[in-house]
Amino acid sequence: MPRHAVAAAPTTEAPAPAEAPATAEAPSAAEAQGPRSKSKSGSPRQIPVVGVVTEDEDAQPLRDLAQIFKILNLCAKKIENQPLFLEPAYNIIKLCGLPFLKKKVSDEITYAEDTAKSIALLGDLMKIPSSELRIQICKCIVDFYHAEPPKKHITGYQQASSTYKIQMAEVGGLAKTMVQSLDLLENQLVEKLWVLKALQHLSTSEVNCTLMMKAYAARGICAHLNDPDPSGQLLFRSSEILWNLLEKSSKEEIIKQLSNLECLLTLKEVFKHLFTRGFSDYDRQLRNDILVITTIISQNPEAPMIECGFTRDLILFATFNEVKSENPLVKGLKLSNSYEDFELKKLLFNILVILCKDLTTVQLLIDGKVVLALFTYVKKPEKHKIIEWSAAQYEELQLHALATLSSVAPLLIEEYMLCQGNARILAFLEWCESEECFFSHGNSFHGTGGRGNKFAHLRYTLRLLRAMIHLEDETVNQDLCEKGTIQQLIGIFKYTISKINDKEEAILLEIQSDILLILSALCENDNSRKEIFGTEGVDIILHVIKTDPKKFQSGLGYTVLLFSTLDSIWCCILACYPLEDYFLEKEGIFLLLDLLALDQKKFCSLILAIMVEFCDNPKTPVHVNAWRGKKDQTAASLLIKLWRMEERELGVLRDKRGMIIDTRKPLFTSFQAEQKIMPMPANCPTIAIMDVAENIRAKIYAVLGKLDFENLPGLSTEDFVTLCIIHRYLDFKIGEIWNEIYEEIKLEKLKPVTTDRRVLQAIITASENVGKMVASLQCEMFEIQARQDVQDEQKVYAKIQATHKQRELANKSWVNFLARTSNAKTLKKAKKLQEKAIASTRYGERPPNAIFHQTDIKGLNTTVLSGRVVAVESTPARLVGGPLADTDIALRKLPVRGGALQRVKAVKPADDPKNVPT
């Protein structure tokens, strides 16, 4: 295969050797050496012979690349003094645009270093002041991203991978040198456009974007966005590069590079020009891209948006359609309902939210009448009114305006009240709740969950209302209450309950959570508003608490709703005794304890805090003690169980039976043990004090304390052992704090006076004695329990013995019974004993004129006390002819199947004067 180039070698003016490529004419001696090419000695002139690319060759072997670029480097060094070397250099650069060929699969790895260095040289060649050369370099780089296979197949070679050149450009750092070359092209538009085109392709790689970032590409490119360019390519390609840099490199660093006055002034002028004079779709798209880049920059608090006047212009552009302005910049300007203008409007709303985070923008927002402009969207759609937006666009802008107001309105309370913001919001809420026909498109981010209904409008209106109420501005809140907001919100909550279904469940739960948070903010610390909240409000709270516990794990907002509900109990019910009584009457405490029994750590603290406050009501302890959970668990047992679980999580030292181990620090947690005690100012809480707020032990102590720690039902010995610790929680905590004081004194190397030292030692000793006393009491409880267990065991054994004795007596009775039925003598003997026993119970002498009634049945062959009817179970009826067949009172009936009742001869008793017929 013929080579495309050979190494430069000195030669005479004679023709090149036969093996040299004759694909192009080599420069003549005169052209190559110039007028001073002949040496003083008259020796033949030395010129380089360089083969160049022919039109019929379209590939370059990797193994030759290093030699070719050595020649290119030699040519580049001579171009400044000998311009004739420019053409060979130009032709050699074309080689980089050709496909690279490899003879072996490993060639890509073998020649990777040489290839990377060779491609990196292209960036260095941009320093040569030749327009054609620079353009050819850029074309070559662009060709990296549009690789085509060789036109002819070359035997023994195969094309390198399509991304090989791109990877080698990344390794060689070509992007960085190309960025640096922009400084050489200040007034050379054509070359600059080609460089930007090359950088546009290079910026599709994260590696290249990082290199460009380090070369401060963002700042250099942005500063020249507004340079004259009739073709418009400069702005398009520059904005594309900025986009790629923001996406594929360090966003924070790029924002930092763009956050300067020069860049922002340029962006401002470009945006104003495109906003006021851009009429094509291309101009509008470019305008929106510039606005997005500006939005990203404005997130940096240090960006001089106000100083360059960009903020004022953006506010003007955002509001001129809704609020009339005499500013000549927007005079006669009008937005269409095209997609690009619609996107622009949303982007302007979005940037208002970002700009208002800087409090210095507040005055500009007031001057621009932003609140009034946004409130023009907070109204129900008017029928038969021509608007510039389509129905779907207007709905999306309406929701976006509500979301923007949630950020802007809290900063501008006076403007909000002047615009009658409360009245507008409540009227809009009334429309949201109404059954008026409205078909929502729900296409946007803000419209999620609101397709075919008004739920999206309701959600964002409530968010706006919540943002205003949580300012705790009494003027705003009082105005809302006077307008009946509390009753209206309760009505909306009931409306959402009736609308809940699987499809809109998530958005409705969010709406309910917001309503409860708003009600909590309005009613907190105001009993008159709590009375307005009333029993209707308590009913909606009870409705939420009765939710199936399984739904709290569904991830659809039930957990947030429950938190909001617990907050509303705290703010809307507590301290209002009629509502507390109604809550208790409706078994609210039972429901709270049911929630507490779920072992949901996230709810425990808030529920316990509510119970602490509720226990101030004298009716509450009765309800607490009456509650029963699973396996008949009592409230006291549940609270003690939670205490033990909390101590296990905190790593408190206890033995297997739950007894105190360290009597000096019985409440010490593993976290406290890890932390070293450090001297702290008097106004700073210590670790022991912070521990009170960071876990639920103090709340459990408070609840049990209000139950008096006595007569608590359903407690086991283990519960009583733990209860001893809970009962002394306050004493232990005080001792813990005094221990901290003592340790701090030692660390600060202070020496208390004798009296103080004695008092401090006495306090610490007394605290430790309390621990020992509790430990002793716990031991005593276990001993009592052990004795009780022994007694219970003995009772069980006694019961077993009695059972066995009864069985023995029953067996003996059975044996006697068998003896009587099988032996006539035994039966007679037993009969005599029975008669004798009966006779001994009668009077010895019969009273005069007394009538004697015979109580026994003659002819009855049994030895048991019998009535008029006797059923003998010992012998089957078919063998004896029925239970009464042999008695004097046998029934006169025919035998039935074997003679259950058979006729027998009459039995004449010896002492009976009459015969009784059988």
Side-chain angles (χ1 to χ4, degrees), residues 632-644 657-658 704 709 712-727 778 781-782 785:
D632 206 32
Q633 185 182 34
T634 63
S637 177
L638 172 62
L639 293 171
I640 294 170
K641 176 186 172 184
L642 290 174
W643 176 284
R644 285 197 294 266
R657 299 184 297 175
L704 291 174
F709 288 107
L712 298 176
L715 299 185
S716 64
T717 302
E718 185 183 11
D719 292 335
F720 278 112
V721 167
T722 306
L723 188 63
C724 292
I725 301 173
I726 301 174
H727 192 195
Q778 290 176 323
M781 284 183 175
F782 277 115
Q785 181 62 37

Side-chain angles (χ1 to χ4, degrees), residues 207-230:
V207 176
N208 286 336
C209 283
T210 303
L211 293 170
M212 293 168 68
M213 177 193 70
K214 292 178 179 178
Y216 295 94
R219 180 168 185 167
I221 292 172
C222 184
H224 295 87
L225 279 177
N226 207 27
D227 287 358
D229 174 26

Side-chain angles (χ1 to χ4, degrees), residues 691-819:
D691 173 74
V692 175
E694 289 176 351
N695 58 70
I696 62 174
R697 291 190 294 179
K699 296 182 179 68
I700 294 173
Y701 165 76
V703 174
L704 291 174
K706 292 186 177 183
L707 297 177
D708 292 333
F709 288 107
E710 295 180 2
N711 301 323
L712 298 176
L715 299 185
S716 64
T717 302
E718 185 183 11
D719 292 335
F720 278 112
V721 167
T722 306
L723 188 63
C724 292
I725 301 173
I726 301 174
H727 192 195
R728 289 290 185 171
Y729 172 79
L730 190 58
D731 296 332
F732 291 150
K733 184 56 66 174
I734 291 172
E736 197 175 297
I737 293 170
W738 277 108
N739 270 317
E740 282 188 338
I741 295 171
Y742 180 70
E743 294 296 332
E744 286 185 17
I745 289 174
K746 288 201 300 183
L747 286 173
E748 293 180 356
K749 297 181 180 180
L750 299 176
K751 293 184 179 180
V753 297
T754 304
T755 305
D756 289 345
R757 187 173 63 254
R758 289 176 180 173
V759 170
L760 183 60
Q761 193 61 44
I763 292 171
I764 293 173
T765 303
S767 175
E768 189 172 356
N769 289 338
V770 172
K772 291 178 180 179
M773 180 190 69
V774 171
S776 175
L777 181 60
Q778 290 176 323
C779 290
E780 185 180 346
M781 284 183 175
F782 277 115
E783 291 174 1
I784 293 173
Q785 181 62 37
R787 289 195 295 270
Q788 183 64 40
D789 291 342
V790 171
Q791 292 177 3
D792 293 341
E793 187 177 352
Q794 290 175 347
K795 287 181 181 179
V796 172
Y797 284 140
K799 186 175 181 181
I800 293 172
Q801 288 175 348
T803 302
H804 281 287
K805 188 173 182 179
Q806 288 295 330
R807 288 178 181 174
E808 291 175 1
L809 292 174
N811 290 336
K812 186 176 181 181
S813 176
W814 177 249
V815 170
N816 292 335
F817 176 74
L818 290 178

Side-chain angles (χ1 to χ4, degrees), residues 425-438:
I425 291 173
L426 295 178
F428 195 67
L429 281 175
E430 186 177 354
W431 172 77
C432 293
E433 185 187 1
S434 70
E435 297 296 336
E436 183 179 335
C437 183
F438 175 76

